[in-house]
Amino acid sequence: MSDLTRLTAVEIAGLVAGGETSAVEVTQAHLDRIAAVDDRVRAFLHVDTDGALAAARAVDERRAAGEELGPLAGVPVAVKDVLTTKGVPTTVGSKILEGWRPPYDSTIVQRLRDAGTVMLGKTNMDEFAMGSSTEYSAYGATHNPWDLDRIPGGSGGGSAAALAAYEAPLAIGSDTGGSIRQPGAVTGTVGAKPTYGGTSRYGLVAFSSSLDTPGPCARTVLDAALLHQAIGGHDPRDSTSIPAPVPDVVAAARLGATGDLTGVKLGVVTEFSGEGAEPGVLAAFRESVDTLAKLGAEIVEVSCPHFRYALPAYYLIAPSECSSNLARFDGVRFGLRVGDDGNRSLEEVMQLTREAGFGPEVKRRIMIGTYALSSGYYDAYYGQAQKVRTLITRDFTAAFERVDALISPTTPFVAFPLGARTSDPYQMYLADLYTIPTNLYGGPGISVPCGLSEGLPVGLQVMAPTMADDRMYRVAAALESAVGTLTPPVL
Ligand code: GLN
């Protein structure tokens, strides 16, 4: 079977469980696909061929022994290089961790193994998950399978591109300000940011700890829900993990797939549905709103007046937390060490290591964050941003008294050409204009393909109350049932 790479995770798991194909055959098909296209896409930083085939063999043996297999057993998955993988390189897209092989698995990766999925390798990302295009990766950019001269989004562009290029049916991302949803939108795939604390941060290399949320990426809403279910839920190793079961996102996705949204009330965010987005993005979004109404949803406009302050607040809070988190990269404990010739002081070695190991965007954020936290400026910057965060949360709370979920375009623009925004950080930051409020609030958000603009994918974002992740899956699956999945030009 040469078309195993075109199947959904549900289809693959069904074929493996029914003995119509083997996990090894499925895995080999994806490894072959990676070998055929990844020199052009560059989605992967590391392909773990031996580990993948060994995991696949283990699934086939369990099946042969008559063991009950889980709903994702034998399905390949690509993992963003922000999550630790025991013995497998983990770089976070940075030179400072080059060569580091973590001594332990992150909780997400452990749960992927427990579910019988097959990890193909680690995907490319902007350094330390800071960016919206993967161009800030220290290992070179990933290319969008829809148009290889364009960005695949970021920071998890590798995971999204791997899906769109049929190199993997499932992938893991992490979303601090939009890094799952925005790459999903610009590659025509599905990306979900779970409720903060709904997925474990144990073994997720920290960027901004009050925002970082690992989550599922897939080509269909149901596949994303199954992956969400497999990786989510309480983890005692993460102090902010929510001690409650994952909302039944799989049942919600199945319900949504019936295409009936009767009784569901959706709020179009006024501030994110006017000027500010490209006309083609707005047109696709507007058409999808009509579709959602035809499926039975009641649509109203909801103003969230503080959302316009989300971007500036985020660009104080995230760098502040990053400046603290990234202090651990000292040239002593992990990865790179520069200038340790026996004559230099510890401080000099730290300086040389950090100078050589961090890229320009990471340095910019560390400097901004250090400044915003310094005494005399703390109240004016970090303190003020935290107050704005509270106002944004109040906007969400008030909105969810009126509607079940909020909707907007996922990003203001489609995939832009590589290099178009690297010289102006602010232009890059705008990619997450619509996704950041959800992170500051802590609720869940999903991006689902909603159409094309000039031949490139557009995503619609659904935002739900905290711990109501199931609601967004229902709406996203309903839209998908009407719009269909988007298929990129064949590579
Ligand atoms: N693009 C945003 C940033 O650069 C979001 C990143 C993320 O979600 N990891 O910070």
Side-chain angles (χ1 to χ4, degrees), residues 222-303:
L222 180 58
D223 280 1
L226 283 159
L227 186 56
H228 189 146
Q229 191 75 251
I231 60 171
H234 184 237
D235 178 12
R237 287 171 149 160
D238 171 0
S239 62
T240 59
S241 172
I242 297 172
V246 189
D248 198 343
V249 291
V250 175
R254 291 215 160 94
L255 176 62
T258 63
D260 183 7
L261 288 177
T262 310
V264 176
K265 198 165 172 185
L266 298 176
V268 175
V269 179
T270 313
E271 287 75 10
F272 290 170
S273 53
E275 81 284 2
E278 285 174 356
V281 168
L282 275 183
F285 174 70
R286 285 277 154 209
E287 208 174 302
S288 302
V289 173
D290 291 345
T291 304
L292 290 166
K294 283 193 197 107
L295 297 173
E298 184 187 341
I299 312 278
V300 295
E301 281 250 347
V302 177
S303 172

Side-chain angles (χ1 to χ4, degrees), residues 80 129-132 154-155 174-179 207 314-315 365 429 432:
K80 187 177 179 182
M130 298 170 195
S132 299
S155 62
S174 69
D175 195 309
T176 303
S179 285
F207 161 16
Y314 171 89
Y315 277 100
R365 305 250 185 143
Y429 298 168
D432 292 307

